[in-house]
Amino acid sequence: MELEQMDVKTAFLHGVLQETIYMEQPEGYVVKGQEDKVCLLKKSLYGLKQSSREWNLRFHKFMIKKNYQRSKYDPCVYLKGTSYEDMIYLLLYVDDMLIASKSKSDIKDLKEMLSSEFEMKDLGPARRILGMDILRDKKKGVLVLSQEAYLQKVLKTFSMWDCGEVQTPLGSHIKLQALTTQQEDEQAREMDEIPYASAVGSLMYAMVGSRPDLAYAVGMVSRYMGKPGREHWSAVKWIMRYLKGASGKCLTFTKEAGLKVTGYCDSDYATDLDKRRSITGFVFTVGGNTVSWRSCLQKVVALSTTEAEYVALSEASREAVWLKGICEELGFKQGAVDIYCDFQSAIYLAKNHMFHERTKHIQVKYNYIREVIDEGDVKVLKIHTSVNPADMLTKSLPGDKFGGCLQTLKGLVEVRSKALSPEWLVTEVLASKKFGSGRDLAGCSSGVEEREPRRQLGE
């Protein structure tokens, strides 16, 4: 499949205003003798709060007019065709576009159609989008997303380029909680000089884009954006120390036999030291490739580990239904989505509509998991804790177990040299995929597990 990229020049200027808005005459264009008059805006300008919305409406009307359909599951995806063989996809993010199709002629026609309506810039084959580098080998069926350049810039910005490396995003000894009133008074002046929010925001962008290994750690430090302290800043620096040795990890996608959606979920009971709430973590793969992940605090205080795992299952099932829907809409048929959970009691509770004294207080919305199981949209299966990759999204793990979770996902490949060619990188990706495929996801692997040898400093 071909993957091309385009950019819209001055996208917000294409929007047509629906409100009546007046503007003072711009400096340098004031009409002599009519200085007291104002301009009536007919189109949107940069700086108006409705500019982005008007641009999106204008683009949507144009695509619908050209017989493209907007996805029911993602409003920024447009598609046209009857089957996967003749389908053409357009993905829009503000003014950046990705166009995918098996036919080069269809992509060329779409580019010409867009250029006839908007002022476009053709960027050719997709190489870089939203700060992520795209490396691809169509013959071997490998696509790699890398944010190494961005992360190295972050380390230099916050003076962490020369720091020592650590093996995990967050040390097991780090336990964070909110500051007391006395601690706030003592540390307020010191923390005012530290760019805590900027650092966490920079890390969060990398986590959302291509780094599921940062999800738990970034989620932990982001809870204290309002009133951070020394311990919170130390945790942020720990994450950067991890990135010093792992900035080259890339999210990889390889061509598999089928594109089946599979999920893994887990929870950590009462891990929040402030309100004693549990943490939900889940990760989903499509065809063995990691596509969606999340680590967050649960909205209610669970009264048992069973309830915490049950809530995590319910939240993961919503993501599963969405992924199943969008995959089917894009032309890839799906059966029931397998969600692996490592807690047997929660699985029994999800599959059996029982009324029990210890579970009757659970909010009704979390019983959604039972409905999707009955309708055949989701199938909940047991997995051993030792091979559940969602474990790294709920707690701090030792280095060897954390590495095992990454191997199970088979999604992150280490690349440590800037001089590496795309061909070498693809070879490394295939080797890593093959290496990580030996773990048994249905249970605990037997014997001594093999681990990828750790790279030393300077390699």
Side-chain angles (χ1 to χ4, degrees):
M1 177 170 283
E2 303 295 330
L3 184 63
E4 301 279 330
Q5 185 177 358
M6 296 192 78
D7 180 76
V8 186
K9 297 180 181 179
T10 60
F12 287 179
L13 302 185
H14 293 285
V16 180
L17 291 174
Q18 300 179 14
E19 301 86 1
T20 300
I21 299 178
Y22 296 97
M23 180 188 73
E24 293 182 357
Q25 297 181 52
E27 185 178 351
Y29 295 89
V30 180
V31 180
K32 293 183 179 181
Q34 300 181 358
E35 292 81 358
D36 57 337
K37 292 188 177 181
V38 295
C39 302
L40 173 63
L41 286 181
K42 295 184 178 180
K43 290 195 173 184
S44 60
L45 294 176
Y46 281 86
L48 293 177
K49 62 182 180 180
Q50 57 266 70
S51 294
S52 58
R53 174 63 177 167
E54 297 301 336
W55 153 244
N56 186 266
L57 289 175
R58 169 75 188 283
F59 184 81
H60 172 68
K61 291 179 180 179
F62 175 74
M63 296 301 291
I64 296 299
K65 183 179 178 181
K66 298 299 181 180
N67 298 321
Y68 278 77
Q69 295 181 350
R70 173 185 269 181
S71 170
K72 299 177 182 177
Y73 298 91
D74 191 331
C76 292
V77 176
Y78 292 86
L79 52 132
K80 183 179 181 181
T82 57
S83 65
Y84 172 71
E85 297 299 325
D86 64 347
M87 194 79 76
I88 182 169
Y89 310 98
L90 185 146
L91 293 80
L92 174 69
Y93 188 90
V94 188
D95 59 352
D96 294 315
M97 298 181 189
L98 285 178
I99 303 173
S101 177
K102 298 191 74 172
S103 172
K104 288 186 177 181
S105 60
D106 289 344
I107 293 179
K108 182 180 178 181
D109 293 341
L110 177 56
K111 286 183 176 181
E112 293 176 352
M113 182 186 74
L114 292 171
S115 299
S116 65
E117 182 72 12
F118 310 107
E119 189 177 358
M120 306 292 298
K121 182 178 181 181
D122 190 351
L123 301 177
R127 300 297 183 192
R128 181 178 177 84
I129 188 169
L130 304 179
M132 293 181 286
D133 293 317
I134 302 174
L135 297 174
R136 192 179 183 207
D137 189 320
K138 291 188 290 184
K139 294 181 179 179
K140 296 182 179 179
V142 177
L143 186 145
V144 178
L145 293 180
S146 173
Q147 289 183 286
E148 181 179 10
Y150 169 77
L151 290 172
Q152 290 179 351
K153 182 180 179 180
V154 170
L155 293 176
K156 293 177 181 178
T157 300
F158 296 100
S159 303
M160 294 294 291
W161 181 249
D162 296 322
C163 65
E165 300 179 12
V166 292
Q167 296 181 12
T168 59
L170 205 62
S172 301
H173 64 282
I174 298 177
K175 307 294 181 183
L176 302 180
Q177 60 185 101
L179 298 178
T180 63
T181 303
Q182 181 180 355
Q183 289 174 329
E184 288 181 24
D185 296 337
E186 294 175 351
Q187 303 177 27
R189 181 173 297 180
E190 177 185 349
M191 295 307 298
D192 286 342
E193 304 297 325
I194 295 177
Y196 185 88
S198 178
V200 174
S202 300
L203 296 174
M204 188 176 296
Y205 183 78
M207 180 272 293
V208 171
S210 65
R211 299 302 295 266
D213 54 330
L214 301 179
Y216 171 73
V218 172
M220 179 70 73
V221 297
S222 64
R223 300 176 201 166
Y224 308 100
M225 298 274 275
K227 297 179 180 179
R230 297 190 192 102
E231 293 297 323
H232 307 137
W233 179 240
S234 296
V236 172
K237 291 193 290 185
W238 185 285
I239 299 174
M240 293 187 183
R241 290 175 62 192
Y242 166 74
L243 288 175
K244 179 62 171 68
S247 62
K249 287 187 180 293
C250 306
L251 190 64
T252 62
F253 302 88
T254 58
K255 188 176 181 180
E256 303 290 344
L259 291 178
K260 178 175 174 55
V261 179
T262 305
Y264 307 89
C265 77
D266 194 16
S267 73
D268 193 23
Y269 177 65
T271 190
D272 178 30
L273 299 180
D274 298 314
K275 298 184 179 180
R276 307 308 295 177
R277 290 184 292 177
S278 305
I279 288 185
T280 288
F282 60 76
V283 58
F284 281 86
T285 64
V286 177
N289 303 301
T290 305
V291 297
S292 177
W293 54 88
R294 188 182 184 191
S295 176
C296 64
L297 278 177
Q298 296 182 358
K299 297 183 179 180
V300 296
V301 177
L303 302 184
S304 64
T305 52
T306 299
E307 181 180 348
E309 295 280 354
Y310 185 72
V311 171
L313 263 177
S314 181
E315 293 179 349
S317 66
R318 291 183 295 172
E319 187 77 4
V321 170
W322 176 75
L323 285 173
K324 176 185 177 182
I326 195 170
C327 284
E328 290 182 340
E329 188 177 49
L330 295 178
F332 307 101
K333 297 298 180 182
Q334 299 289 321
V337 177
D338 294 337
I339 300 180
Y340 289 92
C341 175
D342 58 12
F343 203 80
Q344 195 71 63
S345 297
I347 296 176
Y348 287 149
L349 187 61
K351 291 182 177 180
N352 300 285
H353 294 234
M354 63 179 68
F355 179 84
H356 197 280
E357 182 70 22
R358 289 178 291 181
T359 59
K360 65 181 182 181
H361 66 281
I362 296 178
Q363 294 185 16
V364 175
K365 64 179 181 180
Y366 294 119
N367 292 324
Y368 173 73
I369 180 66
R370 294 177 172 177
E371 179 181 349
V372 293
I373 289 176
D374 290 343
E375 293 179 352
D377 294 328
V378 166
K379 185 188 299 182
V380 181
L381 303 173
K382 180 70 169 64
I383 186 175
H384 197 277
T385 304
S386 62
V387 289
N388 187 359
D391 202 29
M392 71 175 185
L393 302 175
T394 60
K395 60 182 72 70
S396 298
L397 298 176
D400 57 346
K401 191 171 183 180
F402 179 76
C405 290
L406 295 181
Q407 287 182 12
T408 302
L409 286 179
K410 301 178 291 183
L412 289 174
V413 176
E414 179 73 17
V415 180
R416 296 292 299 274
S417 173
K418 294 181 179 178
L420 297 181
S421 64
E423 293 77 12
W424 188 95
L425 176 58
V426 168
T427 303
E428 283 289 291
V429 169
L430 294 176
S432 177
K433 285 283 197 175
K434 183 178 180 181
F435 180 85
S437 63
R439 294 172 62 85
D440 182 9
L441 299 183
C444 191
S445 56
S446 59
V448 179
E449 292 183 354
E450 294 182 344
R451 300 290 186 189
E452 183 178 7
R454 297 190 182 94
R455 296 176 182 263
Q456 301 297 324
L457 282 172
E459 287 187 356

